[in-house]
């Protein structure tokens, strides 16, 4: 299975090779989609994991032991779907195609699992309905 | 986005009232309309109103043409159909739902309202260049397909006005008319014909 998570590193752990340990010890296939690591400061990492569920659970346990917050990407994006008027402006800038228009209903489809947290939709939405916590 | 990464388009194409009455035979000053969820009126021709734009074989202007100024009672409107908007690096704007009933007076009007997206051609401009250079032409069928081809390059497209809302408005207006809550009006005065825009020529520094 493939899942995207945002890892938030407390400042004291930023210099540890966490990603290496996840790959080496839990056999997780990892794709780094976005990273913000600053020594001495909190860091964020958007990872796509591909693995058996059991291994992924063990990996997440390891992260929790290390005090690294590990949240599915959808928990990091807030989108006020109720207020959306389906204008489609956000689909112009969403190059990971997490935001698309339904070809028949012309309503916005948001698939957070495709999101790469680039944040372009935050500025593109004229109603300011997207908030990205990264 | 830079380097022709995407193209955006406005209006709901074949559902857009002004494209269904391109000769402005039924839409004029005084026309009663659906405005932001309430009843409103066309009060005048709008900003950059230009009826000298060349038309295609279907009678549709090939670029920005007629626009309308409207008036209505804000207190009777509904937030489902009126929203404040902000466009990055452009400024404050408004989304307002407008629906205009078009009476089928004769065969010509019937032909006009049967317009299809592929018959609505328009010009593609590069808004990234100071002169807004013309890049080519396209039609609404291609724009709504999600991809157009300009000079051999495939460009992703995205709408800026809500097509699903446009359908809601059309349905709502239809309901009002059949429930006799909304009566069609004849324009008090037709819009001027053969108008054009004057360019602002900047002389010297």
């Amino acid at each position: 299975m493939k899942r995207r998570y945002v890892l938030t590193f407390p400042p004291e752990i930023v210099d540890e090779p966490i990603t290496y340990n996840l790959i080496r010890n839990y056999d997780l296939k990892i794709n780094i989609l976005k990273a913000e690591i600053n020594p001495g400061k909190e860091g964020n990492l958007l990872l796509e994991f591909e693995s058996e569920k059991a291994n992924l659970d063990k990996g997440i346990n390891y992260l929790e032991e290390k005090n690294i917050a590990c949240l599915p990407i959808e928990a990091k994006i807030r989108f006020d779907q109720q207020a959306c008027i389906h204008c489609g402006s956000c689909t112009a800038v969403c190059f990971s195609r997490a935001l698309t228009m339904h070809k028949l209903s012309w309503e916005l489809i948001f698939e957070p699992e495709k999101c790469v947290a680039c944040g372009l939709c935050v500025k593109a939405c004229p109603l300011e309905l997207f908030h990205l916590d990264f | 986005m830079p380097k022709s990464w995407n193209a955006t388009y406005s209006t709901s194409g074949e559902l857009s009232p002004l494209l269904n009455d391109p000769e402005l035979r039924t839409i004029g000053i005084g026309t009663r309309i659906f405005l932001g969820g309430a009843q409103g009126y066309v009060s005048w021709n709008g900003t950059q109103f230009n009826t000298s734009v060349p038309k295609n074989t279907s009678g549709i202007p090939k670029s920005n043409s007629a626009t309308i100024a409207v008036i209505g009672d804000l207190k009777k409107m509904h937030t489902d159909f009126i929203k404040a908007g902000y466009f990055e690096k452009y400024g404050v704007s408004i989304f307002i739902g407008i629906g205009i009933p078009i009476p089928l007076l004769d065969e010509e009007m019937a032909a006009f309202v049967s317009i299809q997206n592929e018959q609505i051609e328009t010009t593609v401009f590069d808004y990234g260049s100071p002169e807004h250079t013309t890049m080519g032409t396209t039609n609404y069928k291609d724009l709504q397909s999600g991809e157009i081809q300009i000079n051999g390059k495939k460009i992703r497209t995205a709408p800026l006005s809500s097509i699903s809302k446009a359908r809601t408005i059309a349905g709502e207006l239809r309901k009002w008319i059949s429930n006799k809550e909304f009566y069609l009006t004849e324009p008090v005065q037709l819009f001027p014909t053969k108008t054009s825009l004057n360019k602002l020529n900047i002389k010297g520094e």
Side-chain angles (χ1 to χ4, degrees):
Chain A
M1 60 186 274
K2 267 190 188 177
R3 286 300 311 270
R4 288 181 184 179
Y5 284 93
V6 176
L7 278 51
T8 304
F9 296 68
E12 56 277 12
I13 207 164
V14 166
D15 49 2
E16 282 194 38
I18 300 293
T19 313
Y20 169 84
N21 287 341
L22 285 172
I23 298 166
R24 178 117 189 160
N25 301 339
Y26 304 100
D27 192 27
L28 299 178
K29 197 168 163 187
I30 282 176
N31 190 9
I32 300 174
L33 297 168
K34 190 179 176 183
E36 250 178 29
I37 311 287
N38 306 297
K41 288 184 189 161
E42 189 183 80
N44 280 298
L45 192 60
L46 171 58
L47 298 180
E48 184 175 81
F49 294 112
E50 192 178 344
S51 81
E52 301 288 320
K53 194 180 178 305
N55 285 355
L56 181 57
D57 288 345
K58 280 183 206 161
I60 290 173
N61 271 340
Y62 160 73
L63 292 170
E64 280 167 1
E65 279 164 23
K66 286 280 174 191
N67 209 17
I68 296 164
C70 180
L71 287 169
I73 183 151
E74 48 268 37
K76 291 294 214 177
I77 316 157
R78 279 180 293 129
F79 169 49
D80 186 356
Q81 201 143 13
Q82 287 299 312
C84 178
I85 57 167
H86 311 281
C87 72
S89 304
C90 57
T91 65
V93 296
C94 185
F95 282 84
S96 66
R97 293 187 190 265
L99 294 159
T100 51
M101 297 309 285
H102 190 281
K103 278 288 157 234
L104 294 173
S105 71
W106 285 95
E107 287 184 0
L108 181 69
I109 306 168
F110 177 38
E111 297 168 279
E113 64 276 11
K114 292 185 184 168
C115 176
V116 292
C118 69
L120 289 173
C121 57
V122 175
K123 284 184 173 181
C125 174
L127 303 185
E128 300 183 345
L129 302 179
F130 292 97
H131 294 275
L132 180 65
D133 182 17
F134 196 102
Chain B
M1 306 280 274
K3 294 183 179 167
S4 309
W5 266 37
N6 63 9
T8 54
Y9 58 95
S10 268
T11 90
S12 45
E14 63 195 15
L15 256 191
S16 174
L18 290 168
L19 299 175
N20 281 267
D21 183 7
E23 293 297 326
L24 302 166
R25 287 183 58 200
T26 70
I27 304 171
I29 298 158
T31 301
R32 187 178 289 131
I33 59 170
F34 175 108
L35 181 60
Q39 296 189 18
Y41 296 88
V42 174
S43 51
W44 206 255
N45 34 314
T47 313
Q48 296 185 25
F49 180 91
N50 180 356
T51 43
S52 303
V53 176
K55 290 186 169 139
N56 69 12
T57 49
S58 307
I60 301 292
K62 291 182 186 172
S63 196
N64 308 11
S65 175
T67 59
I68 51 171
V70 296
I71 196 156
D73 184 353
L74 186 66
K75 289 174 185 168
K76 289 187 180 142
M77 295 181 195
H78 194 280
T79 49
D80 277 357
F81 301 106
I82 181 164
K83 298 255 188 200
Y86 177 79
F87 285 92
E88 180 78 5
K89 292 182 183 157
Y90 174 79
V92 175
S93 189
I94 193 171
F95 286 93
I96 178 128
I98 295 182
I100 308 181
I102 298 173
L104 304 183
L105 302 174
D106 50 27
E107 284 178 7
E108 189 191 45
M109 285 312 297
F112 278 143
V113 301
S114 330
I115 193 86
Q116 303 283 303
N117 277 333
E118 54 195 299
Q119 294 168 278
I120 305 169
E121 292 166 300
T122 193
T123 316
V124 183
F125 295 110
D126 178 7
Y127 272 79
S129 72
E131 308 83 23
H132 296 177
T133 322
T134 302
M135 297 180 70
T137 57
T138 184
N139 66 55
Y140 271 78
K141 188 186 178 195
D142 291 345
L143 283 168
Q144 290 191 6
S145 76
E147 194 178 87
I148 54 170
Q149 272 218 12
I150 297 291
N151 304 326
K153 191 184 172 187
K154 286 182 180 170
I155 301 174
R156 276 179 54 172
T157 63
L160 290 181
S161 45
S162 176
I163 295 165
S164 73
K165 265 303 179 212
R167 288 177 182 164
T168 307
I169 292 165
E172 199 68 16
L173 180 55
R174 183 202 186 98
K175 228 189 304 171
W176 288 0
I177 295 169
S178 33
N179 291 348
K180 298 187 177 170
E181 294 162 5
F182 183 107
Y183 287 90
L184 273 69
T185 54
E186 204 179 326
V188 175
Q189 187 179 304
L190 292 173
F191 282 135
T193 50
K194 292 177 189 145
T195 64
S196 59
L197 295 175
N198 293 323
K199 222 176 169 177
L200 179 67
N201 291 314
I202 297 165
K203 295 175 183 170
E205 287 299 307

